Amino acid sequence: MAGFADLNVPHGADRKAVQSLLETAAHLGYSAVALNHTIDFKEKKQEIAKPVSPSELFPSLPIVQGTSKRLKVLTRLTLVVSDPSHCNLLRSTSTNIRLYDIIAVFPKTEKLFHIACTTLDVDLVCINVTEKLPFYFRRPPVNMAIDRGIYFELLYTPAIKDSTMRRYTISNAISLMQICKGKNIVISSAAERPLELRGPYDVANLGLLFGLSEGEAKAAVSTNCRATMLHGETRKSACGVVYTVKKLHKIEEEETVPACKKAKTQA
């Protein structure tokens, strides 16, 4: 199985607090963590800064519990979109957005959720877990997102903090599971303090409450996170991937042609 990952650790201004979160994550057995920089366009027009390399911020990263490897730290950008015009930034290629390892979008309306699933070049679509969803999930956009290799992110920290949020988290998660059938789900923390972090097996158990099977719940903190990271890498070099796929199809075609026909066509 792929190593465990938490793809949402808020990247606050307090470097000591972030360092403490990273140390706790490594101690709990996570092998990769994404530092999340969130931009909400509703608040004010914000510039997207170039991501700072984690090695510059933290010269000495903690060693993962039970291994000799150091914690892998990725950069992540989450855009909270409440208007279709906010999506234009994601369609531009000349900005600092492309420098982030993972790009996530948090759509606030059904129309924006549909756009995020079907057209935007992102790795994660965030699901609201702190309040009742203002819309119902529909099968076509969800299936389109799955086909495009996009994953849906659920957060577990709000469910720990507050009983009302716990109800919304479970309700919204189950609504999504009814449509996606447990596919392409990632469970993250968004923990602001080390005490809010939970071990990967505890998070997988929480996944059972969200309507996931045991295998799907474990995948939500391991293999699906790995797939999201790879989707981010692929997004940066999409041309090369398309070329590789074409070559593979050509080889398969050649292998299916009988030897006698090959000889005739070559003659």
Side-chain angles (χ1 to χ4, degrees), residues 105-118 124-146 150-155 167-186 210:
V105 65
F106 192 151
K108 290 289 190 177
T109 66
E110 184 175 8
K111 185 182 179 181
L112 290 167
F113 179 80
H114 189 280
I115 292 169
C117 289
T118 56
L124 282 173
V125 174
C126 308
I127 305 300
N128 195 344
V129 294
T130 58
E131 58 190 18
K132 193 177 189 305
L133 279 173
F135 60 89
Y136 292 105
F137 294 112
R138 298 190 187 280
R139 206 172 295 279
V142 170
N143 286 346
M144 176 77 86
I146 292 168
I150 295 171
Y151 285 73
F152 299 99
E153 182 187 56
L154 293 164
L155 302 179
R167 195 165 64 246
Y168 288 136
T169 302
I170 294 169
S171 171
N172 295 354
I174 288 170
S175 296
L176 178 62
M177 297 315 150
Q178 287 170 347
I179 303 298
C180 75
K181 308 296 182 191
K183 291 178 185 174
N184 289 40
I185 299 293
V186 164
F210 296 165

Short mmCIF file of all heavy atoms in Angstrom, two decimals, residues 105-118 124-146 150-155 167-186 210:
data_model
loop_
_atom_site.label_atom_id
_atom_site.label_comp_id
_atom_site.label_asym_id
_atom_site.label_seq_id
_atom_site.Cartn_x
_atom_site.Cartn_y
_atom_site.Cartn_z
N VAL A 105 -10.09 23.37 -5.65
CA VAL A 105 -11.10 24.41 -5.79
C VAL A 105 -12.27 24.08 -4.85
O VAL A 105 -12.64 22.93 -4.69
CB VAL A 105 -11.58 24.55 -7.26
CG1 VAL A 105 -12.29 23.31 -7.74
CG2 VAL A 105 -12.46 25.76 -7.45
N PHE A 106 -12.78 25.13 -4.19
CA PHE A 106 -13.89 24.98 -3.25
C PHE A 106 -15.09 25.72 -3.82
O PHE A 106 -15.25 26.92 -3.61
CB PHE A 106 -13.48 25.58 -1.88
CG PHE A 106 -14.42 25.24 -0.75
CD1 PHE A 106 -13.93 25.16 0.55
CD2 PHE A 106 -15.77 25.03 -0.96
CE1 PHE A 106 -14.77 24.86 1.61
CE2 PHE A 106 -16.62 24.72 0.08
CZ PHE A 106 -16.13 24.63 1.38
N PRO A 107 -15.96 25.03 -4.60
CA PRO A 107 -17.09 25.70 -5.22
C PRO A 107 -18.24 25.93 -4.23
O PRO A 107 -18.58 25.04 -3.46
CB PRO A 107 -17.51 24.74 -6.34
CG PRO A 107 -17.04 23.40 -5.88
CD PRO A 107 -15.91 23.60 -4.91
N LYS A 108 -18.83 27.11 -4.28
CA LYS A 108 -19.89 27.47 -3.33
C LYS A 108 -21.30 27.26 -3.87
O LYS A 108 -22.26 27.30 -3.12
CB LYS A 108 -19.71 28.94 -2.91
CG LYS A 108 -18.50 29.21 -2.04
CD LYS A 108 -18.70 28.64 -0.66
CE LYS A 108 -17.64 29.09 0.33
NZ LYS A 108 -17.89 28.59 1.69
N THR A 109 -21.43 27.09 -5.19
CA THR A 109 -22.75 26.90 -5.78
C THR A 109 -22.77 25.66 -6.67
O THR A 109 -21.70 25.13 -7.03
CB THR A 109 -23.15 28.11 -6.64
OG1 THR A 109 -22.27 28.18 -7.77
CG2 THR A 109 -23.08 29.42 -5.85
N GLU A 110 -23.96 25.21 -7.04
CA GLU A 110 -24.10 24.03 -7.89
C GLU A 110 -23.46 24.27 -9.26
O GLU A 110 -22.81 23.39 -9.82
CB GLU A 110 -25.57 23.65 -8.05
CG GLU A 110 -25.76 22.36 -8.85
CD GLU A 110 -27.20 21.90 -8.92
OE1 GLU A 110 -28.09 22.64 -8.48
OE2 GLU A 110 -27.42 20.78 -9.41
N LYS A 111 -23.67 25.48 -9.81
CA LYS A 111 -23.11 25.81 -11.13
C LYS A 111 -21.58 25.73 -11.10
O LYS A 111 -20.96 25.16 -12.01
CB LYS A 111 -23.56 27.22 -11.54
CG LYS A 111 -23.13 27.59 -12.96
CD LYS A 111 -23.56 29.01 -13.31
CE LYS A 111 -23.08 29.37 -14.72
NZ LYS A 111 -23.46 30.76 -15.08
N LEU A 112 -20.98 26.26 -10.04
CA LEU A 112 -19.52 26.24 -9.91
C LEU A 112 -19.00 24.82 -9.65
O LEU A 112 -17.92 24.47 -10.10
CB LEU A 112 -19.07 27.19 -8.80
CG LEU A 112 -19.25 28.68 -9.12
CD1 LEU A 112 -19.10 29.52 -7.87
CD2 LEU A 112 -18.27 29.14 -10.18
N PHE A 113 -19.79 24.02 -8.93
CA PHE A 113 -19.41 22.61 -8.71
C PHE A 113 -19.39 21.88 -10.05
O PHE A 113 -18.47 21.11 -10.33
CB PHE A 113 -20.41 21.95 -7.75
CG PHE A 113 -20.12 20.50 -7.49
CD1 PHE A 113 -19.13 20.12 -6.58
CD2 PHE A 113 -20.83 19.49 -8.14
CE1 PHE A 113 -18.86 18.78 -6.34
CE2 PHE A 113 -20.56 18.15 -7.91
CZ PHE A 113 -19.58 17.80 -7.00
N HIS A 114 -20.38 22.16 -10.90
CA HIS A 114 -20.45 21.55 -12.23
C HIS A 114 -19.25 21.96 -13.08
O HIS A 114 -18.62 21.13 -13.74
CB HIS A 114 -21.77 21.97 -12.91
CG HIS A 114 -22.05 21.23 -14.19
ND1 HIS A 114 -21.45 21.57 -15.38
CD2 HIS A 114 -22.85 20.15 -14.44
CE1 HIS A 114 -21.87 20.74 -16.32
NE2 HIS A 114 -22.72 19.88 -15.79
N ILE A 115 -18.90 23.27 -13.04
CA ILE A 115 -17.75 23.78 -13.80
C ILE A 115 -16.47 23.13 -13.32
O ILE A 115 -15.63 22.70 -14.11
CB ILE A 115 -17.66 25.33 -13.69
CG1 ILE A 115 -18.84 25.99 -14.42
CG2 ILE A 115 -16.34 25.85 -14.25
CD1 ILE A 115 -18.99 27.48 -14.16
N ALA A 116 -16.31 23.04 -11.98
CA ALA A 116 -15.10 22.45 -11.40
C ALA A 116 -14.93 21.00 -11.83
O ALA A 116 -13.82 20.55 -12.14
CB ALA A 116 -15.16 22.54 -9.88
N CYS A 117 -16.03 20.25 -11.85
CA CYS A 117 -15.97 18.82 -12.19
C CYS A 117 -15.72 18.58 -13.68
O CYS A 117 -15.07 17.60 -14.05
CB CYS A 117 -17.27 18.12 -11.80
SG CYS A 117 -17.49 17.95 -10.02
N THR A 118 -16.24 19.46 -14.53
CA THR A 118 -16.25 19.18 -15.96
C THR A 118 -15.18 19.91 -16.78
O THR A 118 -14.74 19.40 -17.80
CB THR A 118 -17.63 19.50 -16.57
OG1 THR A 118 -17.96 20.87 -16.28
CG2 THR A 118 -18.70 18.60 -15.99
N LEU A 124 -8.18 18.57 -6.98
CA LEU A 124 -9.14 18.28 -5.91
C LEU A 124 -10.34 19.21 -5.99
O LEU A 124 -10.19 20.40 -6.30
CB LEU A 124 -8.49 18.47 -4.54
CG LEU A 124 -7.57 17.38 -3.97
CD1 LEU A 124 -6.93 17.89 -2.68
CD2 LEU A 124 -8.31 16.09 -3.71
N VAL A 125 -11.52 18.68 -5.67
CA VAL A 125 -12.72 19.50 -5.48
C VAL A 125 -13.11 19.34 -4.01
O VAL A 125 -13.36 18.21 -3.55
CB VAL A 125 -13.88 19.06 -6.40
CG1 VAL A 125 -15.15 19.83 -6.07
CG2 VAL A 125 -13.51 19.27 -7.87
N CYS A 126 -13.13 20.45 -3.27
CA CYS A 126 -13.44 20.40 -1.84
C CYS A 126 -14.95 20.39 -1.61
O CYS A 126 -15.68 21.14 -2.25
CB CYS A 126 -12.84 21.61 -1.12
SG CYS A 126 -11.09 21.84 -1.46
N ILE A 127 -15.37 19.55 -0.69
CA ILE A 127 -16.79 19.44 -0.34
C ILE A 127 -17.02 20.16 1.00
O ILE A 127 -16.29 19.94 1.97
CB ILE A 127 -17.22 17.95 -0.21
CG1 ILE A 127 -16.88 17.17 -1.49
CG2 ILE A 127 -18.70 17.84 0.14
CD1 ILE A 127 -17.53 17.67 -2.75
N ASN A 128 -18.04 21.02 1.03
CA ASN A 128 -18.35 21.77 2.25
C ASN A 128 -18.87 20.83 3.33
O ASN A 128 -19.82 20.08 3.10
CB ASN A 128 -19.40 22.84 1.93
CG ASN A 128 -19.50 23.88 3.04
OD1 ASN A 128 -19.03 23.66 4.15
ND2 ASN A 128 -20.11 25.01 2.74
N VAL A 129 -18.24 20.87 4.51
CA VAL A 129 -18.67 19.98 5.60
C VAL A 129 -19.10 20.76 6.84
O VAL A 129 -19.44 20.17 7.86
CB VAL A 129 -17.54 18.98 5.99
CG1 VAL A 129 -17.26 18.00 4.85
CG2 VAL A 129 -16.27 19.70 6.41
N THR A 130 -19.10 22.09 6.76
CA THR A 130 -19.41 22.91 7.94
C THR A 130 -20.85 23.42 7.95
O THR A 130 -21.28 24.02 8.93
CB THR A 130 -18.45 24.10 8.05
OG1 THR A 130 -18.54 24.88 6.84
CG2 THR A 130 -17.01 23.64 8.24
N GLU A 131 -21.57 23.22 6.85
CA GLU A 131 -22.97 23.67 6.79
C GLU A 131 -23.74 22.80 5.80
O GLU A 131 -23.14 22.04 5.03
CB GLU A 131 -23.04 25.14 6.37
CG GLU A 131 -22.39 25.43 5.03
CD GLU A 131 -22.26 26.91 4.73
OE1 GLU A 131 -22.35 27.72 5.68
OE2 GLU A 131 -22.08 27.25 3.56
N LYS A 132 -25.06 22.94 5.82
CA LYS A 132 -25.90 22.16 4.91
C LYS A 132 -25.62 22.59 3.47
O LYS A 132 -25.55 23.78 3.18
CB LYS A 132 -27.38 22.38 5.24
CG LYS A 132 -28.31 21.38 4.57
CD LYS A 132 -29.75 21.62 5.02
CE LYS A 132 -30.68 20.53 4.56
NZ LYS A 132 -30.69 20.26 3.14
N LEU A 133 -25.45 21.62 2.60
CA LEU A 133 -25.15 21.94 1.20
C LEU A 133 -26.33 22.67 0.55
O LEU A 133 -27.49 22.27 0.72
CB LEU A 133 -24.87 20.66 0.41
CG LEU A 133 -23.47 20.06 0.53
CD1 LEU A 133 -23.44 18.72 -0.17
CD2 LEU A 133 -22.42 20.97 -0.06
N PRO A 134 -26.04 23.75 -0.21
CA PRO A 134 -27.13 24.49 -0.86
C PRO A 134 -27.63 23.82 -2.15
O PRO A 134 -28.47 24.37 -2.84
CB PRO A 134 -26.47 25.84 -1.17
CG PRO A 134 -25.02 25.54 -1.32
CD PRO A 134 -24.72 24.37 -0.42
N PHE A 135 -27.09 22.65 -2.48
CA PHE A 135 -27.50 21.94 -3.70
C PHE A 135 -27.32 20.44 -3.51
O PHE A 135 -26.68 19.98 -2.56
CB PHE A 135 -26.69 22.42 -4.91
CG PHE A 135 -25.20 22.22 -4.78
CD1 PHE A 135 -24.60 21.04 -5.19
CD2 PHE A 135 -24.39 23.21 -4.22
CE1 PHE A 135 -23.24 20.84 -5.05
CE2 PHE A 135 -23.02 23.02 -4.08
CZ PHE A 135 -22.44 21.84 -4.51
N TYR A 136 -27.90 19.67 -4.43
CA TYR A 136 -27.76 18.22 -4.42
C TYR A 136 -26.69 17.80 -5.43
O TYR A 136 -26.56 18.42 -6.48
CB TYR A 136 -29.08 17.54 -4.78
CG TYR A 136 -30.17 17.71 -3.74
CD1 TYR A 136 -31.22 18.60 -3.96
CD2 TYR A 136 -30.12 17.01 -2.54
CE1 TYR A 136 -32.22 18.77 -3.00
CE2 TYR A 136 -31.10 17.18 -1.58
CZ TYR A 136 -32.15 18.05 -1.82
OH TYR A 136 -33.11 18.22 -0.86
N PHE A 137 -25.95 16.75 -5.08
CA PHE A 137 -24.95 16.23 -6.03
C PHE A 137 -25.69 15.52 -7.17
O PHE A 137 -26.66 14.81 -6.94
CB PHE A 137 -24.01 15.24 -5.33
CG PHE A 137 -23.14 15.87 -4.29
CD1 PHE A 137 -23.32 15.57 -2.94
CD2 PHE A 137 -22.16 16.78 -4.64
CE1 PHE A 137 -22.51 16.16 -1.97
CE2 PHE A 137 -21.35 17.37 -3.67
CZ PHE A 137 -21.53 17.06 -2.35
N ARG A 138 -25.20 15.74 -8.39
CA ARG A 138 -25.80 15.08 -9.55
C ARG A 138 -24.76 14.16 -10.19
O ARG A 138 -23.57 14.44 -10.18
CB ARG A 138 -26.30 16.12 -10.55
CG ARG A 138 -27.38 16.99 -9.96
CD ARG A 138 -28.06 17.87 -10.99
NE ARG A 138 -28.98 18.81 -10.35
CZ ARG A 138 -30.20 18.51 -9.94
NH1 ARG A 138 -30.66 17.29 -10.12
NH2 ARG A 138 -30.97 19.41 -9.36
N ARG A 139 -25.26 13.07 -10.74
CA ARG A 139 -24.37 12.03 -11.26
C ARG A 139 -23.47 12.47 -12.42
O ARG A 139 -22.27 12.18 -12.41
CB ARG A 139 -25.19 10.80 -11.67
CG ARG A 139 -24.41 9.49 -11.61
CD ARG A 139 -25.32 8.30 -11.85
NE ARG A 139 -26.31 8.14 -10.80
CZ ARG A 139 -26.09 7.57 -9.63
NH1 ARG A 139 -24.88 7.11 -9.35
NH2 ARG A 139 -27.04 7.44 -8.74
N PRO A 140 -23.99 13.18 -13.46
CA PRO A 140 -23.14 13.52 -14.62
C PRO A 140 -21.84 14.28 -14.28
O PRO A 140 -20.76 13.83 -14.67
CB PRO A 140 -24.06 14.34 -15.53
CG PRO A 140 -25.44 13.88 -15.17
CD PRO A 140 -25.40 13.60 -13.70
N PRO A 141 -21.90 15.40 -13.51
CA PRO A 141 -20.63 16.09 -13.20
C PRO A 141 -19.68 15.27 -12.33
O PRO A 141 -18.46 15.30 -12.52
CB PRO A 141 -21.06 17.37 -12.49
CG PRO A 141 -22.45 17.14 -12.04
CD PRO A 141 -23.04 16.16 -12.99
N VAL A 142 -20.25 14.51 -11.38
CA VAL A 142 -19.42 13.68 -10.48
C VAL A 142 -18.71 12.60 -11.29
O VAL A 142 -17.50 12.37 -11.14
CB VAL A 142 -20.28 13.07 -9.35
CG1 VAL A 142 -19.49 12.01 -8.58
CG2 VAL A 142 -20.77 14.14 -8.40
N ASN A 143 -19.44 11.93 -12.19
CA ASN A 143 -18.83 10.89 -13.03
C ASN A 143 -17.78 11.47 -13.97
O ASN A 143 -16.75 10.85 -14.23
CB ASN A 143 -19.91 10.17 -13.85
CG ASN A 143 -20.73 9.22 -12.99
OD1 ASN A 143 -20.35 8.91 -11.86
ND2 ASN A 143 -21.85 8.77 -13.50
N MET A 144 -18.05 12.68 -14.47
CA MET A 144 -17.08 13.37 -15.35
C MET A 144 -15.79 13.65 -14.60
O MET A 144 -14.69 13.44 -15.11
CB MET A 144 -17.69 14.67 -15.87
CG MET A 144 -16.73 15.51 -16.70
SD MET A 144 -16.49 14.91 -18.38
CE MET A 144 -17.85 15.68 -19.21
N ALA A 145 -15.92 14.11 -13.34
CA ALA A 145 -14.73 14.38 -12.52
C ALA A 145 -13.93 13.10 -12.27
O ALA A 145 -12.70 13.10 -12.36
CB ALA A 145 -15.15 15.00 -11.19
N ILE A 146 -14.62 11.99 -12.00
CA ILE A 146 -13.96 10.70 -11.77
C ILE A 146 -13.21 10.27 -13.02
O ILE A 146 -12.05 9.83 -12.96
CB ILE A 146 -14.98 9.63 -11.31
CG1 ILE A 146 -15.50 9.97 -9.91
CG2 ILE A 146 -14.36 8.24 -11.33
CD1 ILE A 146 -16.71 9.16 -9.46
N ILE A 150 -10.07 13.53 -11.17
CA ILE A 150 -10.19 14.52 -10.10
C ILE A 150 -10.76 13.84 -8.86
O ILE A 150 -11.65 13.00 -8.96
CB ILE A 150 -11.07 15.71 -10.55
CG1 ILE A 150 -10.39 16.47 -11.70
CG2 ILE A 150 -11.37 16.65 -9.39
CD1 ILE A 150 -11.27 17.52 -12.36
N TYR A 151 -10.25 14.23 -7.69
CA TYR A 151 -10.70 13.63 -6.43
C TYR A 151 -11.51 14.62 -5.61
O TYR A 151 -11.35 15.83 -5.74
CB TYR A 151 -9.49 13.12 -5.63
CG TYR A 151 -8.92 11.84 -6.21
CD1 TYR A 151 -8.21 11.84 -7.40
CD2 TYR A 151 -9.16 10.61 -5.60
CE1 TYR A 151 -7.72 10.66 -7.96
CE2 TYR A 151 -8.68 9.42 -6.14
CZ TYR A 151 -7.96 9.46 -7.32
OH TYR A 151 -7.51 8.29 -7.87
N PHE A 152 -12.39 14.08 -4.75
CA PHE A 152 -13.24 14.90 -3.87
C PHE A 152 -12.68 14.83 -2.46
O PHE A 152 -12.40 13.74 -1.95
CB PHE A 152 -14.68 14.39 -3.89
CG PHE A 152 -15.32 14.44 -5.25
CD1 PHE A 152 -15.40 13.31 -6.04
CD2 PHE A 152 -15.81 15.64 -5.75
CE1 PHE A 152 -15.97 13.34 -7.30
CE2 PHE A 152 -16.38 15.69 -7.02
CZ PHE A 152 -16.45 14.55 -7.80
N GLU A 153 -12.52 16.01 -1.84
CA GLU A 153 -11.92 16.05 -0.51
C GLU A 153 -12.96 16.31 0.58
O GLU A 153 -13.75 17.25 0.49
CB GLU A 153 -10.86 17.16 -0.46
CG GLU A 153 -10.17 17.22 0.90
CD GLU A 153 -9.23 18.42 1.03
OE1 GLU A 153 -9.70 19.56 0.83
OE2 GLU A 153 -8.05 18.22 1.34
N LEU A 154 -12.92 15.47 1.61
CA LEU A 154 -13.73 15.65 2.81
C LEU A 154 -12.80 15.93 3.99
O LEU A 154 -11.75 15.29 4.11
CB LEU A 154 -14.55 14.39 3.09
CG LEU A 154 -15.64 14.04 2.08
CD1 LEU A 154 -16.08 12.59 2.27
CD2 LEU A 154 -16.83 14.96 2.20
N LEU A 155 -13.18 16.87 4.85
CA LEU A 155 -12.37 17.20 6.03
C LEU A 155 -12.98 16.56 7.27
O LEU A 155 -14.21 16.49 7.39
CB LEU A 155 -12.31 18.72 6.23
CG LEU A 155 -11.75 19.54 5.06
CD1 LEU A 155 -11.78 21.02 5.41
CD2 LEU A 155 -10.34 19.11 4.71
N ARG A 167 -22.73 16.51 12.29
CA ARG A 167 -23.96 16.09 11.60
C ARG A 167 -23.90 16.47 10.12
O ARG A 167 -24.24 15.68 9.25
CB ARG A 167 -25.16 16.74 12.29
CG ARG A 167 -26.49 16.10 11.90
CD ARG A 167 -27.61 16.49 12.85
NE ARG A 167 -27.91 17.91 12.81
CZ ARG A 167 -27.73 18.75 13.84
NH1 ARG A 167 -27.23 18.30 14.97
NH2 ARG A 167 -28.02 20.02 13.75
N TYR A 168 -23.45 17.72 9.85
CA TYR A 168 -23.35 18.19 8.46
C TYR A 168 -22.30 17.39 7.68
O TYR A 168 -22.49 17.05 6.52
CB TYR A 168 -23.00 19.69 8.41
CG TYR A 168 -24.13 20.60 8.82
CD1 TYR A 168 -23.90 21.69 9.65
CD2 TYR A 168 -25.43 20.39 8.36
CE1 TYR A 168 -24.93 22.54 10.03
CE2 TYR A 168 -26.47 21.23 8.73
CZ TYR A 168 -26.22 22.30 9.57
OH TYR A 168 -27.24 23.13 9.93
N THR A 169 -21.17 17.12 8.35
CA THR A 169 -20.07 16.37 7.71
C THR A 169 -20.56 14.99 7.25
O THR A 169 -20.38 14.61 6.10
CB THR A 169 -18.88 16.20 8.67
OG1 THR A 169 -18.42 17.49 9.08
CG2 THR A 169 -17.72 15.47 7.99
N ILE A 170 -21.20 14.27 8.17
CA ILE A 170 -21.68 12.92 7.85
C ILE A 170 -22.78 12.97 6.79
O ILE A 170 -22.78 12.19 5.83
CB ILE A 170 -22.15 12.20 9.13
CG1 ILE A 170 -20.95 11.97 10.06
CG2 ILE A 170 -22.81 10.86 8.79
CD1 ILE A 170 -21.30 11.50 11.45
N SER A 171 -23.70 13.92 6.94
CA SER A 171 -24.82 14.04 5.99
C SER A 171 -24.33 14.37 4.58
O SER A 171 -24.73 13.72 3.61
CB SER A 171 -25.78 15.13 6.49
OG SER A 171 -26.75 15.43 5.51
N ASN A 172 -23.43 15.37 4.47
CA ASN A 172 -22.91 15.76 3.15
C ASN A 172 -22.06 14.66 2.53
O ASN A 172 -22.09 14.45 1.31
CB ASN A 172 -22.10 17.06 3.27
CG ASN A 172 -22.96 18.24 3.70
OD1 ASN A 172 -24.18 18.13 3.81
ND2 ASN A 172 -22.33 19.37 3.96
N ALA A 173 -21.29 13.97 3.38
CA ALA A 173 -20.44 12.88 2.89
C ALA A 173 -21.29 11.74 2.34
O ALA A 173 -21.03 11.23 1.25
CB ALA A 173 -19.54 12.37 4.01
N ILE A 174 -22.34 11.36 3.07
CA ILE A 174 -23.21 10.26 2.62
C ILE A 174 -23.92 10.64 1.31
O ILE A 174 -24.07 9.81 0.41
CB ILE A 174 -24.20 9.87 3.74
CG1 ILE A 174 -23.44 9.15 4.87
CG2 ILE A 174 -25.32 8.97 3.20
CD1 ILE A 174 -24.24 8.91 6.12
N SER A 175 -24.33 11.93 1.20
CA SER A 175 -24.97 12.39 -0.05
C SER A 175 -24.03 12.20 -1.24
O SER A 175 -24.46 11.79 -2.33
CB SER A 175 -25.34 13.87 0.06
OG SER A 175 -26.28 14.07 1.06
N LEU A 176 -22.74 12.50 -1.02
CA LEU A 176 -21.75 12.34 -2.09
C LEU A 176 -21.52 10.86 -2.40
O LEU A 176 -21.43 10.47 -3.57
CB LEU A 176 -20.43 13.01 -1.69
CG LEU A 176 -19.27 12.89 -2.68
CD1 LEU A 176 -19.60 13.56 -4.02
CD2 LEU A 176 -17.99 13.50 -2.10
N MET A 177 -21.46 10.02 -1.35
CA MET A 177 -21.20 8.58 -1.55
C MET A 177 -22.30 7.91 -2.37
O MET A 177 -22.04 6.99 -3.14
CB MET A 177 -21.08 7.84 -0.20
CG MET A 177 -19.93 8.28 0.66
SD MET A 177 -18.39 8.45 -0.21
CE MET A 177 -17.63 9.73 0.74
N GLN A 178 -23.53 8.39 -2.20
CA GLN A 178 -24.65 7.82 -2.95
C GLN A 178 -24.48 8.03 -4.46
O GLN A 178 -24.98 7.24 -5.25
CB GLN A 178 -25.97 8.46 -2.48
CG GLN A 178 -26.40 7.98 -1.10
CD GLN A 178 -27.55 8.78 -0.54
OE1 GLN A 178 -27.91 9.84 -1.04
NE2 GLN A 178 -28.16 8.27 0.53
N ILE A 179 -23.75 9.08 -4.82
CA ILE A 179 -23.54 9.38 -6.24
C ILE A 179 -22.23 8.79 -6.76
O ILE A 179 -22.18 8.16 -7.81
CB ILE A 179 -23.56 10.92 -6.49
CG1 ILE A 179 -24.89 11.53 -6.00
CG2 ILE A 179 -23.33 11.24 -7.96
CD1 ILE A 179 -26.14 11.02 -6.70
N CYS A 180 -21.14 8.97 -5.99
CA CYS A 180 -19.81 8.53 -6.49
C CYS A 180 -19.49 7.09 -6.13
O CYS A 180 -18.49 6.55 -6.60
CB CYS A 180 -18.71 9.47 -5.98
SG CYS A 180 -18.30 9.22 -4.24
N LYS A 181 -20.31 6.47 -5.27
CA LYS A 181 -20.13 5.06 -4.88
C LYS A 181 -18.76 4.80 -4.22
O LYS A 181 -18.15 3.76 -4.42
CB LYS A 181 -20.28 4.12 -6.09
CG LYS A 181 -21.56 4.32 -6.90
CD LYS A 181 -22.80 4.00 -6.09
CE LYS A 181 -24.07 4.17 -6.91
NZ LYS A 181 -25.28 4.11 -6.06
N GLY A 182 -18.29 5.80 -3.48
CA GLY A 182 -17.03 5.63 -2.74
C GLY A 182 -15.77 5.82 -3.56
O GLY A 182 -14.66 5.66 -3.05
N LYS A 183 -15.92 6.17 -4.85
CA LYS A 183 -14.74 6.36 -5.71
C LYS A 183 -14.16 7.76 -5.55
O LYS A 183 -14.89 8.72 -5.33
CB LYS A 183 -15.13 6.16 -7.18
CG LYS A 183 -15.49 4.74 -7.56
CD LYS A 183 -15.91 4.68 -9.02
CE LYS A 183 -16.40 3.30 -9.41
NZ LYS A 183 -16.94 3.30 -10.79
N ASN A 184 -12.84 7.86 -5.73
CA ASN A 184 -12.11 9.14 -5.79
C ASN A 184 -12.36 10.04 -4.58
O ASN A 184 -12.63 11.23 -4.72
CB ASN A 184 -12.46 9.88 -7.09
CG ASN A 184 -11.85 9.21 -8.30
OD1 ASN A 184 -11.81 7.99 -8.40
ND2 ASN A 184 -11.37 10.00 -9.24
N ILE A 185 -12.27 9.47 -3.40
CA ILE A 185 -12.45 10.24 -2.16
C ILE A 185 -11.11 10.38 -1.44
O ILE A 185 -10.35 9.41 -1.33
CB ILE A 185 -13.48 9.57 -1.22
CG1 ILE A 185 -14.85 9.48 -1.89
CG2 ILE A 185 -13.57 10.30 0.12
CD1 ILE A 185 -15.54 10.79 -2.14
N VAL A 186 -10.84 11.60 -0.97
CA VAL A 186 -9.66 11.87 -0.16
C VAL A 186 -10.15 12.47 1.16
O VAL A 186 -10.99 13.38 1.16
CB VAL A 186 -8.71 12.85 -0.88
CG1 VAL A 186 -7.69 13.44 0.08
CG2 VAL A 186 -7.99 12.16 -2.03
N PHE A 210 -18.66 7.93 7.05
CA PHE A 210 -19.01 8.72 5.86
C PHE A 210 -19.66 7.87 4.77
O PHE A 210 -20.00 8.37 3.71
CB PHE A 210 -17.76 9.39 5.28
CG PHE A 210 -17.11 10.40 6.20
CD1 PHE A 210 -15.82 10.85 5.94
CD2 PHE A 210 -17.76 10.89 7.30
CE1 PHE A 210 -15.20 11.79 6.76
CE2 PHE A 210 -17.15 11.82 8.14
CZ PHE A 210 -15.88 12.27 7.87
#
